[in-house]
Each structure stands twice: as C-alpha cells, then as structure tokens.
C-alpha cells in the first residue's frame, strides 16, 4: 500500500516540476494519446545586408516544419502587405526579394529592420531573428588623392575619403588599370591605399573608383614619383596611425601603422605591454608595419601599441580595440507539457558583449510582464496558473550591438484524463476551512472524503484571485496529508479555494469553493520614493529621499544602509530627516545606498539600491616599480606600474615622466597617456647619467612622484654588424602539459640582441618556433603532451640574423588521474553561543580521515545571516580549520550558519544550516517616546506612556520611572516607581498641583539596567475638580486655626526636672501593673472561649474576615476596643511636644507628606543595614527600597510644618489577624523611611513581607520580615497625626511560602524597651461615610496620603495591588504562653457585642492615662 502511495506522490511531483517524464508515466498507465511536440523552426534566417540604391535585395528565410506553414514578413515591427506590391515579392521558400531598392533623402521605404514570421494553424506562431537592410549612400569624395614623392624602400599613403558604407564598393586603379593588391600594396579599412617598400614599378597615376551598380564614380588622378634614397637622416613620423575601433568576435581587423624615415625603422607591435610575434599564427605584418589580426577572440580586446625605432629615433602609437560578442544561448527553453492551473518556468540564459537585452514572445506577440507572466532570475519566464489559451510557442529573443538570436519552445496543455486503472475515484473532501489566515499566506485544512476508495489519497488545492479566471494549484507533500499552506498571496485580497482528492484511479470530485480574504498588510512604511545619491566631494555623498507614500502612521526615523562596491559589509546610519551626507568615504569609489523607514510597528520596505561614486582626486601614491633600461647611447626605456588601486583616487589620465642630467635641478618632462606604462626617452647625450621619476595624473592633477631612478647611457652604440653570440645558459623545468624555459643572455654584451627564438618539438626542435623580446629571460611552453620527450633550442637574434643555438631536452611529467570523488559538504555543523556578540561554529568533514586532520590546501567558507530584517545579506569568512569564531553579532538575535569546503577548483554545496541565538546583554538604548499626560477628572494623577527601547538586547522584564521636581538633582534623590516589563503605561497619583515634574524611564532585562531616557517635563494643573476637592475635604485632617501638627522625633527624651522623673516612675509602675492584670484577665478569658464549638470558631473567623463590613455598619455605635486583648500588637506612646529645640527633619525632592522614624539605638547606623534603593537583575521587580533607603541615609520622620496639635494624643488600634486571604508577598526587602531596623533571628537575608488589608479601619497593616525596617505609617485618613517611638526590635515571624496556604505560626515579638513607659497609639475609627480610595495601579505607595497637601515621598509596593500600610510597633509585654496568643491564620475572632463591656471599662482607663501623661 505504501508503495502505491509513493508512486502516486512521485507522479504529482513530476507534474509539478514539468519534467517530460511525467507524460511517459501517464502513457505507461494507459492514458489516452498525448499530443506530440511539433518540430517547428527556421532552417535559414535573414542576416544584415547593405545594398545600393536601385539595386536588388534578398532577405533569406526558410521554415522547417512537418506541416505547411504560412510565412509573412515584418518591417520595423509591422506586417508588410505583399499581395499588391510589385517590387517586393515573397518567394516560395519564404524569402523576401526586393527587385529595386528605393532610397532618397525624404523617402526610405526599404531601409529598416526585417523579421520573418511563420504560422501553423491551431498550433502557434514563431518569429525569426531580425536583420537590418541598409542602403549605401550616393558616392561622393570628400577629398581627392594627392600626388606624392617617395624614395626607394620608403612608404606612401593615398587617401580615398568616401562614406564608410561605400568602402566595400571601392577599389584602386594604377594608370587606369585595376591595381592588384598584395602584402606590400594594400587597402586600409578606411579605403586608403598603402604603398610600402616603394620601387620604380610603383610610379604612375593612381585613382579611387566606387562602383555601386550603376556608372562608376572616379576620383581625380594622383601621380606617385619614386626617387633614389639619398641616405640622409630623416626623422621618424607616422603616415597613418590606428584609431579606436570595434569588431565582432570571429572577424579580422587590420591595424594600420605606416612609418617613414631614415634609417629604415624597425616596427614592433605590443599588446597590453607584451610583444607580439608573427609566429603566434593569428598575427601577420602587412606592408612592413601594419598588423592584421585574424579570427578575433574576446582576449584580443585591449591596447595595441605600434613601436618604430631606428638607430637615431623611436616613436610609438596606440589603439584601443573593442571586441563585440553576439548573443549566445547558454540555456534554451525546452518543450513542456503541463496541466491547467499549474505553474511553469521557461529557462533562458544568454551571454554576450555588450550584455544582451532579452524579451519573450508568445505566438509572435511580445509578452508583457504581469501578475501571471513574470520574468525571474534575469531572463527566465514564469507563467502562473495555466489556462488553455496559454498553449503555443514561446520564444526567447536576445539582442545586442553585435547581433541577435532567438530560441523557441512549445507549451501543450493536457486534459485531465482518467489515467490509471479503471475504478471509482474519491468523493469531494469535506469541511474545507482556512485554519490560518495571514497577510501573504493562508493555511487550508480539510477532512478526508466520505468515500476515498483507497488508502493512499493525495490532495490538490486549486485557488484563484477573485475576479481572475486563472486558477493555480498546490499539491500536498505526502499521502494522507490534509493541510497545505499557500504562499505569496497579496494582502487584503479575496481568494477562492477548492480541494480535489486523487487516488490510484484518478482525480476525484472537487469540494465546494471557499472564499477567504487575506489580512491587510502590517502597517509598516513603504519604500521612500525618489531616492537619490549625489557625490559632493571625494570623500562624501549626499543621499536624499521623499516621505514614503504609504507611511502607515508617523515615521519615527530612517535607517540609511550603504556598501562599497566589492564589499559585503553593510554600514547603517540612523537618520531623522529626509537627507543625509555620508562622510569619510573612499575616494573615487562606487557605493550603493538604500533607505528603510521606521514607524511604531517597526522597519518598513527597503528602497531599491542606488549607486553613486565619490569624486576623483589626485593620486595619493606614486607609480610603482619604476625601472629604466638603457637601449643605446642616446635612448633609455622607462617602465612602471600604476599606483595601487586604492590610492589612484580616480581614472589615471596620463603619466608625467621627469628626467634630468645627474644632480642638476633643471628637468625635462614627457607626458604619455594613462594606459601607457612605458616611455622611450631619446636624443640623450652619450655616456651621461640620467635620473628619472614618474608621476600619475588624474583630472584633478598630479599625485606624488616616485623616487629618482638613475641610469647612464652608453659611451658608444652596441655592435649590430654581426649576429649575437650563443646564450650563456639554458634551463628547463618540465610540467605535465608544459615546460618552463629560462636562460641568461650571451656573455658578450657589446653585440645588439633584438630578441630570442625558442624552438621545440618531440625529437626535433624545429616543430614549433616562438620569438620573445630581448628583455625576457623565461618562457612557459604550454599545451604539450604528458610523458613525452621534447628537444628545446634557444637562439639570440638581431637585425643581422640569428646567432648560435643552445640545446636542451626534457620529458614532461605523466598525467595524474583526477580525483573522481565530488566534494562533500561539511556535516555536523553546530553553533555554540559564547557571548552576546560571539558564536563559535564547528563542523566535521567526511572527506578527511577519522582524525579530521587537514593535510591538503583546502579551506572552508562560513556564511551567516539573520532573518530580521528579511532583506539582510549573507556575510562570509574563510578559514582553514574546522572551527570559526563569528564575532560582531547583535545581542539576542537568531543567526543561521552554513559551511562550504573548497579544494582547488572544486567546491561543495552549502551544508545544512545550524542556528544559534546570541545571549542577552543590558539594553543599549533608553525607552523612547516618553509622554506624560494628566488623567481626566483627576488633576493630581498623571499617566506616563512610553515605548520599548530600540536596542533592548533581550526581553524587557521591567521598567523604573524616576521623577523629581529638580531636573539637576542627583539620581538617588529622584522618586522611583517600578513597572513590570509587559506594561507601557503607568499612573502616578497624589502629585502636588501647579508643580513642574521631570520624568525619566529606565528599562531592564535579565542582564541589568539600560540607560535612562531624556527628562520629560510636565506641569500639573493649577486646580482640582469640584468632586475631587469635596472628597479631599471630607477626608482631610481637622486642624485648628493657626495650629500646627506635632513634629515627631526619633527617641527624644525631654528635659524634665527631678519631680517629673518621680512622676514618670510612678506612671511606669502603674502602667506595668495594669498591663499585667489585663494580660491575666484576657488569658483566662481566651482559655474559656477556646472550649466553644467548632461552628462558633468558623463563624468567628468569617466575621473576622469580613470585619470591614461590620465596622462600616456600626461605626457610630462602636466603642474603642479593649486594648489588652491584643496587646502584643499595640504600642502606646505619649504625643507630647519635643523639648528639643532642633527637631530632626528631612525633606524629599517631591513636596509630599511622609513620616520617617529615626532609630533610637546608635548601633542601627550600621551601613550594612541601610540598603540603597536598587533594581537588581536577580530580584523581582517588586523588590524595591524606599527613597530614604535609596539615598543611603538614616530613615527620618517627614511631616508638614504648618500644623501642630494642641495637646498630646494617646491612641491605640487593634490589628487583625493576618488572614491568608490578604497575604501578599514581596520577593525581597521593603525598606521605608518609616521603618525601624529589624534583625531576623534565623537568617541575615531578606524575607518576604506580607501585607494585609485592615478592613475595619480602612487602613493597611504591614508587618515587615526584611532586614530593612518595620513600617510605621498612618492608619486612617481621619486620624490627625500619629507619633511612634521606635525601638530596636528583634522579630521572628513565620508564614507560608504560598498565598493559598495558611500560616501555621502566630506572630511573636521580643521587644527591648528603651523607656520605662510604653505609649499607646489608638487611631480614631473612620466615619461611616468615609471611603478610602485605592486606585488599581501597577505600583502602590507604601506611605499613606492624609491631606489635600500631602506630598508623595515614595511609591514602592506590590505591583497590581492597592493597600495603605499601617505603622505598628510591638510593645513590651510579660511573657505569655504561646497558646494564649492570637493565631495568624484567622481561626480565632471576637464579636463586637462581647467585647463592648470590656472596651467601656478600658475607655475610662484610657482617659485616666491621658490625664496622667499630660501632667
């Protein structure tokens, strides 16, 4: 069964990729007859021709097809009507014949571009390549040949100035007889006649004749006289020099170089500074100086130099030859079978010089690119969603200046036959749905058909764009798969989908069509239009662009990317505006630029690259390798190389050669073209020392000169009256297919050596002969047979002849068997992340031995990239080891790596990819777009908004908001509020009206804190709303006119007299006794209460839990609670004025009310116990110190200065049991300015601090378990002031680790008294209509706000919860058994009506105590 499924899957895949084998598979299965491809093409195509006016013209065309084809002709793209045309006839073979070409100045009906078109009915149309018909102009001579005088053996040139298109119709006559041309007398491509090595037979009358079919056109006659040579010295000069020309590959070219002078010059040709020898086969000298190059190749493109010299003088001329290569197909389109709805690709790969342009033609009509006809990979044609009308012939037509070619392929659309064996096919797939819809892809899924009629069922999904009749197909990858993802869709468009099942019997029924719309595109900016890059200096380029047409919101910034040509490293610059000048670029270097716009959604679409080149400048380095060679007593040859490419700073336009005699200051100079790398200095003095240096020049000026190079001319010229002596040595080094020959010149240096002749062959040195320049000392003989014995001979020669040869033999090496094994890609590629910017890539090479030791010259190429952004380019590096360290990566970024091995000219494919994500590091940028707005209806509350940092370098886990009224304050003087990492907004409450605040935000990730943002200024409103003011007045503190609140102090003992001390002792004794009695009574009472039923316990616990409702409902009738019931949780303190004239006060940068308690014991000043406020990476965001802790100062009391109570107040307040329903744990220490210092009995480390809400009094109790301190804060908004005496306290507190588990141990306290009398602090019961406002903010202040002019000092608390902690100090008390203490888990409670009587008794006691303490 699995084999049948695999067979069916293979069949579908083959159809998808359009392999012709698909048809064979169907035919083997008995499918109906398949249409066959037609051999339809041109056996002969028209070619370019030039004809004369009035003459005939023939454009050949012959069609090769099994069926009759109709032929028509196009001229300049339009069909010709030949039926009624008498001049133009269509021949039987399809050729076009024009009997008489019409051509005039204003009427040129026959000149143009022609194309042959062939038709076969019901099959299609093909077009031939184009051919140009040119008409020669009217013969006219712009100048006439001139009479001349020539000496025996010298050269002469006659001009024939006619139109270039008439040169082919021109010839020469001597004495009115046709002139026979040969190697000595020849005609140049321009039509001019060259007479070289003149003799008496050359004298006569010469004329140029042009024959264009009619009467011949003759030029005037010019007489040539030949006289005897006087042997007087004549300066060398060119009669005809070559000019720049272009030729087509395979043609021949004649480069004229005609020189006159005496003595007769010796003419040599050089190609790109290499001497040309006639023995090379394709070169021949014509007329003693001109060079004829046969069968041109692409390698012939370059600079040819003609050098002429004699004993007295030397001259040189250069010509640039360009080779044009007609288009040639590297890959042609092939005939293709396909079904409807499929996608196909016609390949077309061409080459040529200049680069050819390619266009596609379908049935004779040009294919216009669209959504369904696309040109991809330069020249390939892709057709999407085939329909029946797409059948026909497709042609790829390529054209450049050298010619044009065409290749065709036939497309046949097959009908869906039954295929396979006869049998039932599947029914329609069920429940077709779009399970995932995105902007550019849709994932379709379905259930199998009700009747599959087989197990191996595969599916095809057909889809089309709404309103388009082209349907495309996507097949599942394996049998039974019932989902597929359709890619490359357009956003915000509707598509229609249907699914068809296939089994071994064929194609089943189609499902009902389903229409699905893609989502709109992500709102990112489009590309910036009108991108331009203009060079402004040799080192700077200004880039400008326009705002994207589809900005999709406010553009935040742009990123400009640029790359130097030939480099892979792309630089980026963040830009705010619409232009930027990039400085520090390389001179005369081409750069590519692109721009990406960013909005709040991220990077947009990149623009296309634009190129710009910096201006040129003077070269920054001199020419290299300057050498001088003395040729004779009057000339020196100077040679050099250009400056290094990076230092040329522009195109080298010329070289200046300066030379001087010895150390003289006066200099002479010569200038040569920038392409010339040598210069002959002649007419020098004999036996004189010359110094030479060379300077490179650009359009901007001259660069630095090379160092002086010195050489001395000969006293006398070398002897050329005899042949050179034998070379002093000859060495050979055999290779497999060549032999390297090296030698030294003859020992006698007084004889002129013009060059060397090398002969070689198997058994004989005369089979092949090569001539090289006299300066050359080695030569490599190529294309030899392996394992063969060659005999080599070397001879020096000059103008007299060749010298004595020297012989040597050598046997080439045997042919080594190439390694047939292809290179295997590396395996086991692994990416090991080492840091936030470094990843180590390792791999193994299966082509190495087991020990993985590299012994050959192979190397590995590692490439890597990240997919964000999607248009990122690959970066590469080479290494010779099996590991590579990739550095300079971006933090917290996923990279993919692959490796390729290269050995010699062989390379493997890329290996499988490995992925690695770099580690996180601290954010390198601050949060951006920080804004502050006032909350509507609440002027004391502001909302801070921001965006994550651009370079987060990891997942943001939290933010810290800093704010202050002084922007120049130290960092530790700013108020802070933490926010969780997934929040981008935060509220800050209870600010002072009409005050300027400054805000900064800092982001953190798992590695630490990033930089702060710039300060943002905000002024709060001047007035509050009426509702808010009413609430504030209702909850404000009752202050007497002109009164002031008491200023609390740490532990200030008033200065009293001795009598006061006695009274104080009495009070302490009475208080201790009263405490003892109350403890005994309460203990006995509680013991009796424990014997009640379990039902009462549960009811009491419930009532305790909902105590807030109880207190709210009976707030007017309730009496103060019995203070002795929970005495272990209460503290008493007299609220008298401090006798200290200088009370300790402090203030925060923000004017808000707070209470700071100063520790009594000096031992609490240990800096280890005073934590600085920090936001550490290994702690939770809730673990924050208070402002005082952040400053590293001792906690201080903070109260307004404008109020003072008229008399001391003694107050007390019951503390509810810490019911687990109200427990909220901090993951660290909470140090507050109002904290005392606590020392935990078990561990010096911070312990979580539960905070429970006080329902009855609308306040919050905060029992700290940290090292920092115990919070002492106001309990209710209705209490004017509280004064608490801090003491050094040791607390042991045990609670459950999770919020949902009740505490198993009651709180206990061990208090070290610092005063004989402890005070009570009883807050007033809140009025019935008093409401406590608890806004749900991510971070809640731990300091309660009590008045309309309160100032917020710190805002650090549990994120997402609102509670106002109440200050509690545990007083000293007699040791009581643990069983008599109140359990924390809330299992024990008390009723108000039961305790009312005891509370009434204590009320009187409290009045008495108040009277005692006031006196």
């Amino acid at each position: 069964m699995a084999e049948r499924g695999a067979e069916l899957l293979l069949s579908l895949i083959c159809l998808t990729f359009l392999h012709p084998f698909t048809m064979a598979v169907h035919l083997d299965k008995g499918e109906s007859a398949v249409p066959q491809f037609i051999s339809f093409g041109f056996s002969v195509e028209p070619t370019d021709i030039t004809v004369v006016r009035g003459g005939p013209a023939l454009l050949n065309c012959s069609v090769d097809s099994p069926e009759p084809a109709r032929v028509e002709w196009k001229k300049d793209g339009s069909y010709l009507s030949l039926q009624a045309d008498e001049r133009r006839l269509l021949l039987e073979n399809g050729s076009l014949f024009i009997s008489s070409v019409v051509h005039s100045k204003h009427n040129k009906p026959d000149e143009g571009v022609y194309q042959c078109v062939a038709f076969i009915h019901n099959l299609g149309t093909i077009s031939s390549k184009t051919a140009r018909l040119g008409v020669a102009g009217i013969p006219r001579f712009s100048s006439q040949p001139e009479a001349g005088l020539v000496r025996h053996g010298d050269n002469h040139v006659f001009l024939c100035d006619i139109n270039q298109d008439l040169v082919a119709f021109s010839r020469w006559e001597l004495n009115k007889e046709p002139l026979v041309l040969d190697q000595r007398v020849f005609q140049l491509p321009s039509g001019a006649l060259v007479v070289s090595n003149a003799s008496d037979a050359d004298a006569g009358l010469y004329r140029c004749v042009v024959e264009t079919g009619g009467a011949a056109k003759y030029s005037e006659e010019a007489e040539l006289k030949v006289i005897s040579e006087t042997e007087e010295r004549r300066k060398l000069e060119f009669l005809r020099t070559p000019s720049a020309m272009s030729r087509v590959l395979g043609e021949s070219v004649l480069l004229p170089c005609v020189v006159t002078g005496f003595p007769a010059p010796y003419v040599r040709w050089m190609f790109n500074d290499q001497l040309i020898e006639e023995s090379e086969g394709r070169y021949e000298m014509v007329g003693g100086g001109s060079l004829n190059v046969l069968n041109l190749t692409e390698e012939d493109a370059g600079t040819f130099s003609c050098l002429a010299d004699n004993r007295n003088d030397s001259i040189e001329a250069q010509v640039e030859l360009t080779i044009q290569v007609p288009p040639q197909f590297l890959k042609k389109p092939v005939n293709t079978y396909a079904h409807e709805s499929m996608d196909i690709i016609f390949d077309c790969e061409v080459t040529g010089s200049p680069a050819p342009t390619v266009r596609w033609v379908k049935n004779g009509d040009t294919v216009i690119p669209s959504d369904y006809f696309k040109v991809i990979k330069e020249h390939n044609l892709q057709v999407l969603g085939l329909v029946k009308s797409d059948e026909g012939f497709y042609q790829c037509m390529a054209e450049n200046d050298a010619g044009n070619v065409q290749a065709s392929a036939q497309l046949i659309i097959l009908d869906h036959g039954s295929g396979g064996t006869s049998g039932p096919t599947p029914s329609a797939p069920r429940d077709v749905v779009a399970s995932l819809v995105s902007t550019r892809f849709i994932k379709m899924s379905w259930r199998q058909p009700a009747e599959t009629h087989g197990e191996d069922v595969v599916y095809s999904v057909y889809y089309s764009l709404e309103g388009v009749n082209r349907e495309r197909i996507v097949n599942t990858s394996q049998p039974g798969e019932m989902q597929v993802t359709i890619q490359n869709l357009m956003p915000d468009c509707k598509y229609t989908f249907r699914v068809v099942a296939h089994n071994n019997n064929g194609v089943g029924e189609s499902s009902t069509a389903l229409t699905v719309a893609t989502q709109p595109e992500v709102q990112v900016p489009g590309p910036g239009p009108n991108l331009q890059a203009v060079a402004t200096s040799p080192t700077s380029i200004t880039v400008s662009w326009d705002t994207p047409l589809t900005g999709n919101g406010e553009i935040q910034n742009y990123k400009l990317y640029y790359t130097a040509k030939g480099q892979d490293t792309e630089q980026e610059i963040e830009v705010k505006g619409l232009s930027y000048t990039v400085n520090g670029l390389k001179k005369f270097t081409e750069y590519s630029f692109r721009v990406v716009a960013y909005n709040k959604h991220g990077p947009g679409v990149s623009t296309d690259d634009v190129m710009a080149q910096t201006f040129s400048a003077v070269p920054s380095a001199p020419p290299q390798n300057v050498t001088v060679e003395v040729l004779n007593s009057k000339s020196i040859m100077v040679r050099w190389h250009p400056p290094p490419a990076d230092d040329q700073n522009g195109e080298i336009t010329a070289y200046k050669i300066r030379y001087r005699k010895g150390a003289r200051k006066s200099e002479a100079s010569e200038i040569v073209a920038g392409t010339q790398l040598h210069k002959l200095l002649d007419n020098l003095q004999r036996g004189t020392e010359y110094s030479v240096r060379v300077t490179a020049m650009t359009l901007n000026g001259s660069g630095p000169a090379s160092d002086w190079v010195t050489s001395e001319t000969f006293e006398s010229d070398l002897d050329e009256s005899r042949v050179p002596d034998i070379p002093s040595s000859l060495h050979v080094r055999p290779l497999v297919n060549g032999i390297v020959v090296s030698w030294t010149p003859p020992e006698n240096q007084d004889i002129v050596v013009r060059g060397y002749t090398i002969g070689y062959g198997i058994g004989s040195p005369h089979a092949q002969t090569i001539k090289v320049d006299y300066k050359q000392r080695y030569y490599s003989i190529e294309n030899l047979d392996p394992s063969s014995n060659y005999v080599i001979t070397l001879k020096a020669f000059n103008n007299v002849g060749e010298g004595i040869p020297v012989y040597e033999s050598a046997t080439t090496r045997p042919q080594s068997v190439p390694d047939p094994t292809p290179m295997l890609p590396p395996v086991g590629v692994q990416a090991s992340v080492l840091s936030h910017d470094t990843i180590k890539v390792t791999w193994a090479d299966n082509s190495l031995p087991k020990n993985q030791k590299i012994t050959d010259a192979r190397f590995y190429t590692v490439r890597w990239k990240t997919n964000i952004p999607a248009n990122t380019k690959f970066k590469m590096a080479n290494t010779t080891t099996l590991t590579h360290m990739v550095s300079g990566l971006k933090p917290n970024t996923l990279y993919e790596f692959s490796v390729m091995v290269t050995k010699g000219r062989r390379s493997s494919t890329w290996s499988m990819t490995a992925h690695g994500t770099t580690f996180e590091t601290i954010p390198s940028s601050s949060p951006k777009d920080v804004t502050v707005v006032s909350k509507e209806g609440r002027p004391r509350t502001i909302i801070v908004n921001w965006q994550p940092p651009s370079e987060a370098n990891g997942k943001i886990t939290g933010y810290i908001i800093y704010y202050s009224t002084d922007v120049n304050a130290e960092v530790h003087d700013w108020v802070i509020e933490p926010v969780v990492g997934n929040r981008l907004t935060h509220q800050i409450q209870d600010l002072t009206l009409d005050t300027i605040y400054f805000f900064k935000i800092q982001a953190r990730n798992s590695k630490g804190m990033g930089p702060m943002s710039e300060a943002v200024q905000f002024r709060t409103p001047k007035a509050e709303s009426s509702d808010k003011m009413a609430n504030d007045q209702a909850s404000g503190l009752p202050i007497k006119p002109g009164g002031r609140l008491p200023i609390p102090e740490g532990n200030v003992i008033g200065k009293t007299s001795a009598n006061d001390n006695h009274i104080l002792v009495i009070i302490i004794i009475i208080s201790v006794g009263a405490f003892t009695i109350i403890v005994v009574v309460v203990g006995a009472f509680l013991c009796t209460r424990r014997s009640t039923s379990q039902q009462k316990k549960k009811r009491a616990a419930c009532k305790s839990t909902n105590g807030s409702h109880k207190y709210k409902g009976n707030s007017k009738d309730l009496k103060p609670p019995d203070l002795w019931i929970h005495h272990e949780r209460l503290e008493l303190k007299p609220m008298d004025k401090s006798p200290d004239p200088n009370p300790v006060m402090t203030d925060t940068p923000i004017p808000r009310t707070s209470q700071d308690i100063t520790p009594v014991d000096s031992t609490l000043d240990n800096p280890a116990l005073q934590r600085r406020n920090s936001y550490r990476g290994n702690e939770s965001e809730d673990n924050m110190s208070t402002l005082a802790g952040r400053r590293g100062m001792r906690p201080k009391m903070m109260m307004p200065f404008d109020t003072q109570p008229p008399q001391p107040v003694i107050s007390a307040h019951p503390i509810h049991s810490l019911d687990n329903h109200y427990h909220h744990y901090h993951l660290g220490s909470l140090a507050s300015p109002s904290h005392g210092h606590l020392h935990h009995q078990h561990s010096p480390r911070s312990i979580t601090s539960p905070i429970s809400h006080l329902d009855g009094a609308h306040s919050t109790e905060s029992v700290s378990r940290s090292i920092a301190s115990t919070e002492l804060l106001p309990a209710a908004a209705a209490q004017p002031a509280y004064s608490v005496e801090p003491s050094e306290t040791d607390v042991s507190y045990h609670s459950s680790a999770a919020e949902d588990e009740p505490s198993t141990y009651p709180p206990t306290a061990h208090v070290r008294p610092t005063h004989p009398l402890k005070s009570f602090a009883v807050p007033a019961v809140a009025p019935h209509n008093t409401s406590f406002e608890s806004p749900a903010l991510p971070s809640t202040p731990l300091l309660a706000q009590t008045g309309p002019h309160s100032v917020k000092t710190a805002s650090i608390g549990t994120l997402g919860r609102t509670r106002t902690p109440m200050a509690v100090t545990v007083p000293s008390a007699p040791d009581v058994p643990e069983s008599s203490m109140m359990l924390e888990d809330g299992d024990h409670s008390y009723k108000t009506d039961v305790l009312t009587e005891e509370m009434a008794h204590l009320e009187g006691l409290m009045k008495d105590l108040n009277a005692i303490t006031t006196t």
Side-chain angles (χ1 to χ4, degrees), residues 7 10-11 14 20-34 36 414 418-422 504:
E7 182 183 3
L10 178 62
S11 175
C14 291
F21 180 69
T22 305
M23 295 313 305
V25 173
H26 287 293
L27 287 173
D28 291 343
K29 292 185 177 182
E31 189 174 306
S32 58
V34 176
Q36 299 299 314
L414 299 176
S418 60
T421 60
S422 60
N504 293 332

Side-chain angles (χ1 to χ4, degrees), residues 981-1049:
N982 58 358
R983 296 289 299 275
L984 297 177
T985 183
H986 184 67
Q987 294 186 14
I988 299 177
Q989 298 179 332
D990 302 316
L991 300 180
T992 304
L993 297 177
D994 195 19
T995 303
I996 296 177
Y997 289 86
F998 299 91
F999 297 84
K1000 297 181 180 179
I1001 302 183
Q1002 189 178 28
R1004 75 176 288 267
N1005 57 19
S1006 62
K1007 295 299 181 180
M1009 307 297 300
M1012 291 186 184
S1013 65
E1014 295 293 330
V1016 176
Q1017 178 179 334
F1018 181 78
R1019 178 187 289 273
T1020 54
K1022 294 184 178 181
E1024 297 185 355
S1025 62
S1026 57
D1027 295 341
K1028 176 65 179 176
M1029 294 177 63
N1031 293 336
D1032 290 344
Q1033 292 174 2
S1035 61
L1037 299 177
I1039 302 175
K1040 293 183 178 181
R1044 296 177 61 88
L1045 289 175
I1047 302 176
E1049 301 178 4

Side-chain angles (χ1 to χ4, degrees), residues 125-139:
T125 305
I126 58 173
S127 302
S128 71
K129 67 179 186 179
T130 59
R132 180 171 186 83
L133 173 63
V135 181
I138 300 175

Side-chain angles (χ1 to χ4, degrees), residues 966-1203:
D966 182 6
V967 71
N968 298 319
E970 296 294 335
V971 175
H972 56 262
D973 289 335
W974 290 59
V975 182
I976 63 173
E977 294 214 10
V979 183
V980 293
N982 58 358
R983 296 289 299 275
L984 297 177
T985 183
H986 184 67
Q987 294 186 14
I988 299 177
Q989 298 179 332
D990 302 316
L991 300 180
T992 304
L993 297 177
D994 195 19
T995 303
I996 296 177
Y997 289 86
F998 299 91
F999 297 84
K1000 297 181 180 179
I1001 302 183
Q1002 189 178 28
R1004 75 176 288 267
N1005 57 19
S1006 62
K1007 295 299 181 180
M1009 307 297 300
M1012 291 186 184
S1013 65
E1014 295 293 330
V1016 176
Q1017 178 179 334
F1018 181 78
R1019 178 187 289 273
T1020 54
K1022 294 184 178 181
E1024 297 185 355
S1025 62
S1026 57
D1027 295 341
K1028 176 65 179 176
M1029 294 177 63
N1031 293 336
D1032 290 344
Q1033 292 174 2
S1035 61
L1037 299 177
I1039 302 175
K1040 293 183 178 181
R1044 296 177 61 88
L1045 289 175
I1047 302 176
E1049 301 178 4
N1051 182 24
V1052 182
I1053 303 175
K1055 298 180 180 179
T1056 59
S1057 63
N1059 293 333
D1060 293 337
N1061 292 336
H1062 291 299
I1063 297 174
L1064 185 59
V1065 170
I1066 295 172
I1067 293 173
I1068 292 173
I1069 294 172
I1070 295 173
S1071 299
V1072 171
F1075 268 95
T1076 304
I1077 295 172
I1078 293 174
V1079 168
V1080 173
V1081 172
V1082 172
F1085 176 77
L1086 291 178
C1087 289
T1088 58
R1089 295 290 294 177
R1090 289 184 180 232
S1091 62
T1092 61
S1093 65
Q1094 186 67 24
Q1095 182 177 3
K1096 285 188 175 183
K1097 290 183 180 181
K1098 293 182 179 180
R1099 185 169 56 253
C1102 294
K1103 292 180 179 180
S1104 176
T1105 304
N1106 301 317
S1108 60
H1109 304 290
K1110 187 189 304 181
Y1111 289 142
K1112 287 182 181 180
N1114 304 318
S1115 61
K1116 294 183 179 181
D1117 301 329
L1118 285 178
K1119 296 181 180 180
D1122 190 345
L1123 299 181
W1124 295 105
I1125 294 176
H1126 292 289
H1127 64 88
E1128 72 275 16
R1129 302 186 189 181
L1130 303 177
E1131 179 188 9
L1132 302 178
K1133 182 180 178 180
M1135 299 291 287
D1136 56 342
K1137 293 183 180 181
S1138 172
D1140 191 347
N1142 298 315
V1144 179
M1145 298 298 295
T1146 184
D1147 198 1
T1148 63
I1150 309 298
R1152 300 182 63 178
T1153 303
S1154 65
Q1155 295 180 359
D1156 296 341
I1157 309 303
T1158 304
V1160 176
D1161 197 341
S1162 62
T1163 61
L1164 299 180
D1165 293 337
N1166 186 352
L1169 300 178
Q1170 299 177 2
R1171 301 276 183 116
R1172 290 186 64 84
N1173 182 17
S1174 63
Y1175 197 59
R1176 292 164 292 190
N1178 58 353
E1179 297 180 0
S1180 169
E1181 294 134 0
D1182 296 340
N1183 182 11
M1184 300 299 300
S1185 301
T1186 60
L1187 186 60
R1190 178 179 180 85
R1191 294 174 180 171
M1193 299 166 54
R1194 295 177 59 182
K1196 301 177 180 63
M1197 179 75 72
M1198 184 62 207
M1199 296 191 68
F1201 297 123
D1202 56 351
T1203 58

Side-chain angles (χ1 to χ4, degrees), residues 720-752:
E720 200 174 0
S721 61
R722 53 188 177 137
V723 297
D725 290 346
I726 185 173
S728 56
S729 67
L730 174 63
H731 304 280
V732 293
R733 181 166 61 90
L735 304 175
V736 176
N737 297 109
I739 297 177
V740 178
V741 182
S742 60
W743 63 89
T744 55
E747 294 181 357
N748 187 357
Q749 300 290 321
D750 295 331
I751 302 176
V752 175

Side-chain angles (χ1 to χ4, degrees), residues 797-865:
F797 69 90
N798 57 18
N799 290 335
V800 177
E802 295 179 343
I804 302 173
V806 58
Y807 293 89
E808 189 62 77
S809 63
T811 301
T812 53
R813 296 180 181 178
Q815 179 73 44
S816 60
V817 179
D819 185 9
T821 305
M823 295 296 291
L824 298 176
V827 297
V829 181
Q830 295 182 353
S832 303
V833 181
L834 302 183
S835 66
H836 67 277
D837 64 349
T838 304
I839 292 180
K840 180 180 180 182
V841 184
T842 60
W843 59 90
D845 191 345
N846 281 345
S847 61
L848 292 176
K850 292 184 178 180
N851 58 7
Q852 293 289 289
K853 184 176 181 181
I854 302 174
T855 57
D856 50 17
R858 68 179 64 199
F859 67 91
Y860 301 90
T861 302
V862 183
R863 71 175 183 180
W864 65 92
K865 66 171 288 190

